[in-house]
Structure formats: C-alpha cells, structure tokens
C-alpha cells in the first residue's frame, strides 16, 4: 500500500456512492497566504481531494488559465519551501488528502529524496509529475511508494493498449485519465459518452484501482461525467481566481462558491 | 571520463532511454506525447536507412537547398590578422540564407511520409520559422510558426518571409517572449493536436527524437566540408579547428558531426556571452547545472529552485537558456571546447568581416564564431586552418546592426 489516507478516502466515497471532487489550484496564487485560505475554503466546501500546483515557468502541459496562475505565483516569489509551509499549515486543521502536481525540474533541483521527505513530513498523499512519464518515472515512483506516498500515473487517449497495461500494473491506487488531446483547460473535444467509454475501457484493465478524469471539466460538462471515480477541476478554479482579482472580489469566497456548485452537480 | 564510442554517429551515442552519457537528453514529456513520439521514432529510424527516402532527401538538398554550399578562404581576414589561415563554410548561401533549411526540409519530407497535412514549429531568429514556412509551401503543408513577441519585433524581416510563404505566425507573449517561450508554446500546441499535426522543433533540442532528426539533417554541412577539405588540401588537414556558434546547437552539431572521431581536429563552440550587464545565454561556458527543459536534460540557466532563467543576447538565434544534449555530451567527453563571445565582440566581428570580406556578411549568430576566430587566429601558426561556419546571412539583422552602429536606414 502507498498512501493509506487516499485509499481510505476512496473506499469511504465508494460506500457512499459519491464521486470524488478533486480540485487544482496553484500554491502562491495570488499570494502565499491567500492560496492557503483558498485551500481551506475548498476543503470546507466539500472537495474530497486537493491537488496543489508547484509552479514551473516553462510548463509544457498547461493551458492558459493555469499558466496565468503559475505566473502570478512565481512573480510573487513562491518557493518550494513555501509550498510545504502551506501544506503543513493546512494539515494542522484539515485531513483532506493533498496531492502535489508539478514538473520534474522542480523535483530534480530540490533533490528527489528531499522532496519525498518533505512530502512525508507534511503528510502529502500523492505526487503528479506532468513530464515524468512511465517508464522514466519508475525510480521516483518507487521512492514515493517506500515513503507511503502515491505516485499518480497519467494515461491519455493516445496511450497504447500495451503501455496502458504496463502503466496500470506499475501504478499505485489512483490513476489520472486525461480526457482528450489537450493542454489543461481546453474545450472538451469529444462527447462525455465517448470519454466515459474510453475511461471504462481503461478502468476495466484493473477495476480495483481508482481512476479520475481531468482536462476540460467545467460547470457545464461535470455532471455528464459523474459516473467516474473522481473528477478533477483546475482551470475553472484558476479562471475564477483571475476573474476575482480583476473585479476586485475575494477569490477565497468565489472559489468556495464554485466548489459548492460543482459538488452539487455530481451528487 | 565519458568515452565517445568510435565509429558510431553522434546521434546514436545515446542509451536505450535516449540519454547521452547516461544523463543528457531523454524524453521528459507529458503522457499524451509518448505515442506520437514513439511513432515518429519508429518512422525516422526506418526512413534514415530507406533508399527511396534518402534519394528524395538528396534530391531536395541539391535542387531545393542548393547544396553543396561554398567553402572559401578568407584571404583578407587571414592577412589582416596574421597567423592561422581562416576559411569559411558559407552555409548562409543555402536557400533561405541559413542552415535551418536542412532540418525544415527533412521534417517536411517526414510529415509527408507520415501523412500529416499540418506542420508546426518554433523560431527565435526567425530562420527556423522562415525555412519551415518555405519548405511547407514547397511540400503543400499548412504551417504555423510559434514566435516570441520580442523576436517578432526584432526579426521583422524573417516574419515578412514567413507570411509571404503563407504561414501563420502565432505570437507568444509569455515569459521572456523569446525562443524558450516559443518552444514551450509549440510543444503545448502539439500536445493538443498531435493526431493531425507534425511538429518540427527548430534546433537540436527537445525530446531525443527531435535532436536526432535535426542533427541528422544538418550533418550534411560536415559531409560537404569533409569532401571540400579533401579536394582543396588532398586530405583533411592535421592542424584543423572548426568554429561554430551555439544556441540550441543545430548548426554546430551538423558542422562537427563528421569530425568527431578525428581527435586531431579541435571543435570549438561559441555561445552568446550577452551584453555587459551580466546576462548571457551561455550555459556550457558558465558551467550551469543540469536541469530538464523542453523534454530533455541538459545544462541550463536556472535558479536554485529550478525556474528557468531569462537570457539576453543580441543574436535572437542564440538567445536560449538551454543547449543541446549533444553539446553537453561533447563537452563532458572533452571532445569539444565551448566558450562565449559578448554582444560587443560579435558586433566588432561583424564589422571587420564585412569590411574585409564583404560577401560573407554573417548574421549576428555566426558573428560570435568569427569573434573567436579573430581572437585566436593571430596566436596560431600559419599552417593552422580555422574553418568558421557562417551559418546565417545578415539581412535579418540589418536594423539591429545599423542601430548599434549609429546608421540610419
């Protein structure tokens, strides 16, 4: 077993027949303190798993909304140390599972061992590394596993059957299914039915694991996909933060309201 | 010490995971791109030995690019400096005016073979974009070029060419608004469109397959040079030094390729030392740390956190924070020597070479290589042969140069 809490979390949701709502926001967006408040409000509003982005300035998988958030965070001087401070503070009062999402160079420069140690110290449940695919991620995934942290494998519509089998075999409890060929936050290119069909084909390879769908999930598309184990919303939240800043509103309340709306749509 | 395997082409010195010397290169890409990269790898590894493909390549190299490009002695410059004999490989005489045409032509031919109708690429100086647009027009492919907004304004002449060739220029306004951001945006576009679109990364950077295709294409330069050396000197001269500017490193990789095994020949890569404010684009010269940029591990300008740092160079084509894993490998193996020339030195070199050898007219990128030649030639014996790759011609830079030199155009 890798992350005990993540496994328990999914088991509970299964009992209640609930779809996991997984959020993504960027650490330090718009600043360190507010991003912590955003995480707290997300947890209070009913999100089941929280992904937190460690921004990198040459991202090759992110769409415009997440790039904007990352840009704000980096401009405000966010450091890897700050990310762990935020998580540590959050975990003092909340038990919601935290997953870090980042690019490999950030882990490499911090030192893979240091990074995993800090994750364990601050009770992080999982890590997603956008540009560290299988099999390049084998060594790092193993390191995570040895520290009770889930390394979350990504699979895409372009992943071949042969690769899928191998990736899923090596995966930990949670797998991230990329809904379509896109960077984050694109418009859905296929119908929800089609996405679910492909999703179920992947899930059937090993139904004992949990599969979450991400990319292109918005207020409009989320309810049609609710039969998945979990759904990730990121760009829609980053956009909400951008909009709030531009209109002089409070991003903490606006993001919280959005979470309530999204959660209602999958209940 | 890292050993270079004798008799094996530079682009095949990597291990099964695409790493040179076990640590440079690789394919750090989002999962979505794994399959398209695998498909491209299989296709390229087959086609590079396929006779009909090679025939097609050679046909277009000859009839479209106009190879071989001239190899000439710079007599006035040699006399002026005293010391080594200075020769020049005038790659700038290739169709379009720079070495980028080789990679662009090969990628267009590959796209046709792969049945893709769309091709996308990145550009800094605008030459990679201009050549890809030109080749795309020739081979009936729809073309999009990603270019930083800073480069769009400083390389307007090449943008005009791209538009004339029917390409769409996608302005990239993020980060430093230069090549690094253009490459990121181009890869992101490919992530979303890899089912219909072929991507041509404009230099020997990116996931390993793109490094291989690019260096395989530019290797034409050293193949020509080798036979030109033999025809002028009877054999490859013993005291030979090859000088080439290095940004991403595509022209230098192609210029060095045929001479890797002959250790008598000194290979010198010249990076962009930048202006006097301390900024630069010279990761090899300045012993930068290894990091992952655009899908490959390489020496790269970055802060202690892993954020990629902004660069500055008068030469847009060298203004890149990373450098090809091939050059990292050659440096690590001690096979090539890397140094840098400043903006000012490059400008001075442009002035001197233009005044003495008017027809050479190097762009600001190879002016960096000339700067090093000017520095070392007087100290070398008269039987030493220096060959500089003048890999781009200067018309795209006339506005910048005129402004710096106080002329009004």
């Amino acid at each position: 077993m890798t992350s005990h809490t993540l496994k328990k979390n999914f088991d509970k949701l299964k009992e209640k027949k609930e779809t996991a709502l997984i959020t993504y926001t960027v650490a330090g967006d718009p600043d360190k303190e507010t991003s912590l408040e955003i995480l707290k409000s997300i947890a209070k509003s009913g999100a089941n798993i929280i992904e937190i982005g460690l921004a990198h300035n040459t991202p090759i998988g992110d769409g415009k909304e997440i790039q904007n958030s990352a840009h704000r965070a980096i401009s405000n001087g966010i450091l890897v140390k700050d990310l762990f401070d935020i998580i540590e503070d959050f975990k003092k009062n909340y038990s919601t599972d935290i997953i870090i999402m980042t690019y490999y160079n950030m882990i490499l420069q911090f030192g893979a061992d240091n990074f995993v140690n800090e994750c364990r110290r601050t009770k992080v449940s999982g890590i997603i590394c956008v540009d560290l695919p299988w099999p390049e991620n084998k060594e790092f995934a193993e390191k995570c596993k040895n520290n009770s942290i889930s390394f979350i494998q990504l699979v895409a519509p372009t992943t071949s059957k042969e690769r899928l089998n191998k990736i899923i075999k090596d995966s930990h409890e949670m797998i991230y299914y990329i809904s379509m060929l896109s960077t984050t936050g694109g418009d859905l290119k296929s119908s929800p039915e089609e996405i679910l069909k492909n999703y179920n084909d992947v899930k059937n390879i090993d139904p004992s694991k949990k599969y979450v769908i991400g990319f292109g999930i918005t207020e409009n598309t989320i309810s049609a996909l609710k039969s998945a184990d979990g759904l990730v919303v990121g760009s829609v939240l980053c956009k909400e933060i951008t909009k709030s800043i531009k209109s002089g509103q409070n991003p903490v309340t606006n993001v919280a309201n959005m979470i309530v709306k999204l959660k209602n749509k999958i209940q | 010490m890292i050993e270079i395997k004798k008799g094996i082409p530079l682009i095949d010195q990597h291990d099964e995971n695409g790493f040179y010397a076990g640590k440079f290169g690789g394919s750090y890409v989002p999962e979505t791109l794994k399959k398209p990269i695998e498909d491209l790898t299989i296709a390229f590894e087959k086609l590079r030995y396929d006779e009909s493909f090679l025939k097609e390549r050679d046909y277009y190299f000859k009839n479209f690019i106009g190879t071989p490009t001239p190899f000439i002695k710079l007599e006035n410059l040699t006399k002026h400096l005293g010391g080594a004999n200075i020769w020049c490989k005038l790659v700038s005489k290739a169709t379009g005016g720079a070495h980028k045409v080789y990679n662009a032509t090969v990628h267009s031919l590959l796209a046709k073979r792969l049945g893709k109708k769309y091709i996308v690429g990145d550009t800094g100086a605008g030459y990679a974009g201009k050549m890809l647009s030109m080749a795309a027009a020739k081979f009936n492919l729809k073309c999009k070029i990603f270019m930083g907004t800073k480069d769009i304004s400083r390389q307007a002449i090449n943008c005009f060419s791209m538009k004339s060739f029917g390409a769409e220029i996608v302005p990239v306004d993020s980060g430093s608004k230069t090549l690094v951001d253009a490459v990121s945006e181009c890869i992101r576009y490919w992530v979303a469109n890899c089912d219909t679109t072929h991507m041509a990364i404009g230099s020997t950077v990116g996931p390993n397959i793109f490094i291989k295709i690019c260096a395989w294409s530019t290797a034409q330069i050293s193949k020509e040079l080798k036979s030109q050396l033999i025809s002028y000197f009877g054999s490859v001269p013993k005291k030979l030094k090859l000088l080439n500017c290095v940004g991403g490193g595509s022209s230098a990789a192609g210029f060095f390729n045929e001479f890797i095994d002959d250790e008598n020949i000194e290979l010198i890569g010249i990076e962009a030392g930048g202006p006097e404010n301390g900024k630069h684009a010279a990761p090899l010269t300045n012993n930068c740390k290894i990091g992952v940029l655009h899908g490959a591990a390489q020496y790269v300008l970055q802060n202690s956190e892993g954020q990629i740092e902004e660069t500055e160079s008068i030469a847009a084509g060298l203004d890149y924070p990373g450098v090809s894993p091939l050059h990292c490998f050659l440096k690590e193996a001690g096979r090539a020597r890397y140094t840098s020339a400043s903006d000012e030195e490059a400008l001075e070199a442009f002035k001197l070479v233009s005044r003495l050898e008017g027809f050479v007219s190097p762009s600001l990128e190879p002016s960096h290589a000339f700067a090093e030649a000017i520095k070392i030639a007087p100290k070398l014996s008269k039987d030493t042969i220096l060959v500089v790759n003048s890999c781009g011609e200067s018309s795209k830079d006339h506005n910048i140069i005129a402004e710096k030199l106080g002329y009004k155009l």
Side-chain angles (χ1 to χ4, degrees), chain A residues 57 59 62 80 158-159 163 189, chain B residues 31-32 188 192 305 307-308:
Chain A
N57 68 354
D62 289 328
V80 184
T158 46
T159 311
R163 244 181 100 71
K189 285 175 170 176
Chain B
E31 175 60 26
T32 308
R188 286 193 285 264
E305 291 272 305
Q307 305 293 1
I308 305 304

Side-chain angles (χ1 to χ4, degrees), chain A residues 55-60 62 67 74 79-80 104-106 108-109 130-134 136 154-156 158-160 163 167 178 181-183 189, chain B residues 27-36 38 174 180 184-185 187-188 191-195 289-295 302 304-308:
Chain A
H56 180 47
N57 68 354
T58 50
I60 54 176
D62 289 328
Q67 278 185 56
I74 295 168
L79 302 173
V80 184
Y104 187 48
N105 200 43
M106 300 303 292
L108 193 65
Q109 302 311 324
V130 180
D131 57 350
L132 191 62
W134 187 92
E136 282 81 355
L154 295 136
V155 295
T158 46
T159 311
S160 66
R163 244 181 100 71
I167 294 175
I178 297 169
L181 300 189
S182 172
T183 49
K189 285 175 170 176
Chain B
S27 273
Y28 296 99
V29 294
E31 175 60 26
T32 308
L33 291 182
K34 270 281 178 181
K35 180 74 167 56
E38 190 188 306
S174 52
V180 64
S184 299
E185 191 63 29
I187 296 176
R188 286 193 285 264
V191 170
N193 297 280
C194 55
D195 48 347
K289 263 182 84 183
I290 296 177
V292 172
L293 172 65
H294 295 143
Q302 58 183 323
S304 60
E305 291 272 305
Q307 305 293 1
I308 305 304

Side-chain angles (χ1 to χ4, degrees), chain B residues 65-120:
Chain B
I65 298 178
T67 62
T69 56
F71 171 60
I72 50 161
K73 185 172 179 189
L74 303 183
E75 291 183 355
N76 296 337
L77 189 64
T78 300
K79 207 168 146 196
H80 176 83
L81 294 169
N85 275 285
I86 304 178
W87 289 69
C88 172
K89 177 78 176 143
L90 260 180
V91 173
S92 56
K93 295 293 174 196
T95 297
H99 68 285
K100 296 288 186 194
V101 70
Y102 299 103
N103 187 45
T105 303
V106 167
H107 269 292
S108 299
L109 292 172
L110 280 171
K112 293 294 267 188
R113 294 272 179 149
L114 293 165
K116 301 280 166 80
K117 292 193 174 73
Y118 303 90
I119 194 161
V120 293

Side-chain angles (χ1 to χ4, degrees), chain B residues 310-338:
Chain B
E310 288 192 12
T311 53
E312 196 174 331
S313 167
I314 194 171
L318 306 182
D319 206 351
Y320 185 71
V323 63
S324 178
L326 297 175
H327 292 293
C328 298
F329 172 65
L330 291 174
K331 181 187 172 182
E332 199 80 354
R335 180 62 195 95
R337 170 170 81 82
Y338 295 89

Side-chain angles (χ1 to χ4, degrees), chain A residues 34-170:
Chain A
T34 316
S35 70
L36 171 63
E37 292 311 311
I38 289 175
L39 290 194
K40 290 179 184 170
S41 77
I42 287 174
K44 278 191 274 192
S45 311
N48 306 100
I49 297 169
I50 292 178
E51 283 178 17
I52 181 162
L54 170 59
H56 180 47
N57 68 354
T58 50
I60 54 176
D62 289 328
K64 204 174 101 234
E65 298 302 340
I66 293 180
Q67 278 185 56
N68 286 339
S69 284
H71 182 71
R72 275 195 296 268
I74 295 168
S75 310
N76 287 332
I78 193 80
L79 302 173
V80 184
K81 183 186 153 296
D82 299 326
L83 165 83
F84 289 114
D85 286 350
I86 292 171
I87 296 171
E88 196 179 5
D89 269 2
F90 173 84
K91 281 284 184 180
K92 281 179 189 158
N93 300 304
Y94 298 86
S95 61
T96 316
D97 279 301
I98 293 274
I99 292 172
I100 294 174
M101 187 162 180
T102 192
Y103 286 84
Y104 187 48
N105 200 43
M106 300 303 292
I107 297 174
L108 193 65
Q109 302 311 324
F110 195 77
D113 286 328
N114 289 344
F115 199 88
V116 171
N117 287 342
E118 278 297 278
C119 285
R120 195 180 51 190
R121 185 183 68 78
T122 57
K123 304 193 186 80
V124 168
S125 307
I127 299 174
I128 301 174
C129 188
V130 180
D131 57 350
L132 191 62
W134 187 92
E136 282 81 355
N137 60 36
K138 274 187 173 179
E139 194 186 326
F140 185 68
E142 192 62 25
K143 215 182 277 284
C144 290
K145 195 176 177 179
N146 293 339
N147 285 278
S148 303
I149 295 159
S150 276
F151 183 83
I152 292 144
Q153 300 281 358
L154 295 136
V155 295
T158 46
T159 311
S160 66
K161 191 78 204 277
E162 196 195 346
R163 244 181 100 71
L164 269 176
N165 288 330
K166 290 179 183 163
I167 294 175
I168 291 173
K169 188 169 161 278
D170 278 359

